[in-house]
Amino acid sequence: VVFFIINLPFYMLAWLRLGPQFTAKSLISVTALSGLTLILPDQISFAQLSTPMAAITFGALTGVGLLVIFRHNGSLGGLGVVALIVQDKTGFRAGYVQLCADAVIFCVALFLFPLPIVAWSLLGAVVLNIIIAINHRRDRYIAT
């Protein structure tokens, strides 16, 4: 619910800069993710999952999922909208924009959480953003 609400201001930015179709697809994606986060914890459990494997798997699956959403002209709102606008305006890849934003967020997190938790989360974010940075370019396939 919080994720959905936090993204509301980004829809206006997306509407103005990226268009109504992008905004609608982003709203659908955010709504679906918000709903799934309520359902999935009751449907999936792991008897054993190492922290490094969890971080890498999270990063890879989330990176591929975001790549699919981006290629279909949508986003999960928030910084993803900003990253795509920066990429379109400057050519600086969206994955690198997100990685820079994540670096700031993780620096702040160091003051709030223990170092090992921040480090494993950072590993997942790095994997995610490298997948996006390497694979997402507007001149490649974009579905309508």
Side-chain angles (χ1 to χ4, degrees), residues 1-116:
V1 175
V2 172
F3 179 67
F4 182 84
I5 292 170
I6 286 172
N7 275 294
L8 292 176
F10 290 98
Y11 295 128
M12 181 59 81
L13 178 62
W15 184 278
L16 295 172
R17 299 290 183 127
L18 301 168
Q21 185 179 29
F22 177 90
T23 306
K25 289 180 180 183
S26 297
L27 179 61
I28 291 166
S29 297
V30 169
T31 302
L33 179 63
S34 296
L36 284 171
T37 59
L38 296 174
I39 296 168
L40 286 180
D42 296 331
Q43 304 302 315
I44 297 174
S45 65
F46 298 96
Q48 181 179 351
L49 181 62
S50 72
T51 304
M53 180 57 77
I56 292 168
T57 302
F58 155 79
L61 290 174
T62 306
V64 170
L66 283 170
L67 185 61
V68 169
I69 291 170
F70 288 169
R71 286 197 174 169
H72 287 271
N73 199 27
S75 78
L76 285 178
L79 291 173
V81 170
V82 174
L84 289 172
I85 291 170
V86 169
Q87 178 173 292
D88 288 347
K89 296 277 183 195
T90 67
F92 190 71
R93 299 262 180 96
Y96 295 131
V97 173
Q98 187 71 44
L99 192 57
C100 291
D102 285 348
V104 172
I105 291 167
F106 282 106
C107 285
V108 171
L110 286 170
F111 294 101
L112 303 172
F113 302 102
L115 178 61

Side-chain angles (χ1 to χ4, degrees), residues 113-136:
F113 302 102
L115 178 61
I117 291 173
V118 175
W120 290 120
S121 296
L122 179 61
L123 174 62
V126 167
V127 170
L128 180 159
N129 288 306
I130 286 173
I131 287 172
I132 293 171
I134 290 171
N135 292 290
H136 182 64

